[in-house]
């Protein structure tokens, strides 16, 4: 039973990225089954040590706070129904980190990620140039493509969230002569970057630029200069060429400069600014616990809370934590964000002063940066507690735990020798 249950869990993990594209219901069902099977498996085998993990302990405390927070919520039933099953995401990243120890699992997983990434990027290009994708979905917006997501304009967000896994898959498969070729790697990066650009999701694209800027700072060396120049040259050519085919996408990005055209600077847009004002007013009336998880959409309708800023969520992760979870919730956010910033600085120090930076260090840096971009407070964001986004955010986190532990064991082994 141990063998078969492990294999079932691994297969479910393989297919999560695929169903995040085609069916969030199935993807979330897989997460729930992984959580239940993994918990059962570890308890039956008395493997309690797997739960003694600093990340899971922090997550477990946060989960308990969500439940307590629900008791003070504007809508107890709504908040509690979201808070109780939230534990499944903690069990998901534990399961991923646990099975990542299996080389065969990693090999299959990263091959699958690379395949999905290439297919969805080519599909996006086909939709952009032909007007419809491989399964007949048309481009429903003049300045955006959606690929297999059809009417859901989330292609850019999906590619941004899976970008760290895509990069690792390229690192991981260097034994393959084609993928190991530096020009083919540049081609893959241009393809991926260009598809995010064509998605027209400005936040995803700008966060993608942030991701790569931080990554270059961490892993930069003289050998990268040539690759970066070639990449930028080809990428700029792609943007200019696409503008000849459809200038609306470029104009969509250029439209962000309009925030400086009024007497005062607008925070991203007037709509976003209204969301933030509403969130702040809700926070001022509920400073300790906030209004409760997932309640912003209901509380914001009250006249005193600037209802023109009403939406399903505040469209900013920090403002969402403040308004829905209060100062205590914001403290959890601040601790997590600060931790990853400090972790990245340690990576930089390790490289500059100790000259100790191998492939595993690069992979760890990629995963740390993915967490920083996920929690980045200075840009609009989706609903942090949305199931689809929660799963996307967790996937690279599981591998971060594995690589961090792997490097720690390697350093201990070297120190003993």
């Amino acid at each position: 039973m141990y063998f078969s249950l492990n294999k079932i869990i691994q297969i479910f993990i393989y297919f999560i990225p695929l169903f995040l594209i085609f069916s969030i219901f199935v993807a979330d069902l897989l997460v729930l089954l992984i959580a239940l099977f993994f918990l059962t498996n570890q308890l039956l085998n008395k493997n309690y040590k797997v739960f003694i993990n600093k990340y899971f302990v922090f997550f477990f405390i946060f989960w308990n706070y969500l439940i307590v927070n629900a008791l003070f919520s504007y809508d107890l039933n709504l908040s509690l129904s979201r808070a109780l099953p939230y534990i499944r995401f903690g069990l998901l990243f534990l399961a991923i980190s646990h099975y990542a120890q299996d080389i065969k699992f990693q090999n299959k997983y990263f091959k699958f990620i690379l395949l999905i990434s290439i297919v969805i990027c080519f599909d996006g290009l086909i939709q952009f140039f032909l007007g419809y994708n491989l399964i007949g979905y048309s481009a429903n917006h003049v300045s955006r493509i959606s690929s297999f997501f059809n009417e859901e304009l989330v292609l850019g967000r999906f590619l941004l969230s899976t970008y760290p896994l895509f990069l690792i898959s390229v690192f991981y498969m260097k034994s393959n002569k084609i993928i190991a070729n530096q020009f083919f790697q540049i081609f893959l990066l241009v393809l991926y970057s260009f598809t995010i650009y064509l998605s027209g999701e400005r936040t995803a694209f700008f966060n993608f630029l942030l991701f790569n800027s931080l990554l270059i700072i961490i892993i930069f060396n003289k050998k990268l200069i040539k690759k970066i120049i070639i990449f930028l040259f080809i990428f700029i050519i792609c943007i200019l060429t696409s503008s000849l085919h459809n200038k609306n996408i470029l104009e969509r990005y250029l439209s962000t400069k309009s925030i400086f055209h009024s007497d005062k600077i607008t925070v991203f847009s007037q709509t976003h600014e209204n969301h933030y004002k509403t969130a702040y007013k809700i926070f001022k009336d509920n400073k300790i616990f906030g209004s409760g998880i997932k309640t912003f959409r209901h509380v914001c309708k009250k006249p005193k809370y600037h209802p023109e800023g009403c939406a399903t969520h505040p469209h900013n992760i920090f403002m969402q934590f403040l308004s829905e979870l209060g100062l205590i919730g914001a403290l959890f956010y601040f601790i997590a964000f600060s931790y990853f910033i400090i972790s990245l600085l340690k990576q930089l120090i390790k490289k500059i002063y100790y000259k100790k930076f191998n492939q595993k260090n690069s992979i760890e840096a990629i995963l740390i940066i993915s967490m920083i971009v996920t929690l980045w407070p200075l840009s609009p964001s989706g609903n942090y507690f949305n199931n689809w986004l929660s799963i996307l955010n967790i996937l690279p986190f599981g591998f971060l735990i594995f690589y961090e532990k792997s490097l720690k064991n390697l350093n201990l082994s070297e120190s003993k020798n």
Side-chain angles (χ1 to χ4, degrees), residues 341-384:
I341 291 290
I342 293 170
S343 296
L344 192 63
L345 290 174
K346 286 181 179 178
Q347 292 284 330
L348 186 59
I349 292 170
K350 188 183 296 183
K351 179 188 175 183
I352 295 174
Y353 292 100
Y354 298 103
K355 310 293 182 183
K356 193 175 181 181
F357 212 76
N358 55 31
Q359 180 173 308
K360 282 191 174 182
N361 288 120
S362 297
I363 291 175
E364 186 181 14
I366 288 170
L367 293 166
I368 291 171
I369 292 170
S370 74
M371 295 299 104
I372 292 172
V373 173
T374 295
L375 297 172
W376 189 248
L378 302 179
S379 63
S381 65
N383 182 356
Y384 184 78

Side-chain angles (χ1 to χ4, degrees), residues 104-156:
K104 290 182 179 179
F105 169 80
Q106 282 199 48
N107 188 41
K108 290 179 181 178
Y109 187 85
F110 289 124
K111 281 182 179 179
F112 197 43
I113 286 291
L114 191 59
L115 177 63
I116 290 174
S117 300
I118 292 173
V119 170
I120 199 170
C121 286
F122 270 115
D123 185 74
L125 290 182
I126 291 170
Q127 189 181 57
F128 175 73
F129 287 106
L130 299 183
Y132 51 87
N133 77 335
L134 292 171
I135 56 177
Y137 290 156
S138 60
N140 295 312
H141 199 285
V142 294
S143 61
R144 304 177 73 172
I145 60 170
S146 58
S147 183
F148 298 114
F149 293 102
N150 197 15
E151 295 181 358
E152 295 290 328
L153 299 172
V154 293
L155 173 61

Side-chain angles (χ1 to χ4, degrees), residues 4-18:
S4 61
L5 197 56
N6 273 303
K7 287 299 179 183
I8 290 170
I9 296 171
Q10 289 181 27
I11 291 170
F12 285 172
I13 294 173
Y14 294 146
F15 282 98
I16 286 176
L18 184 65

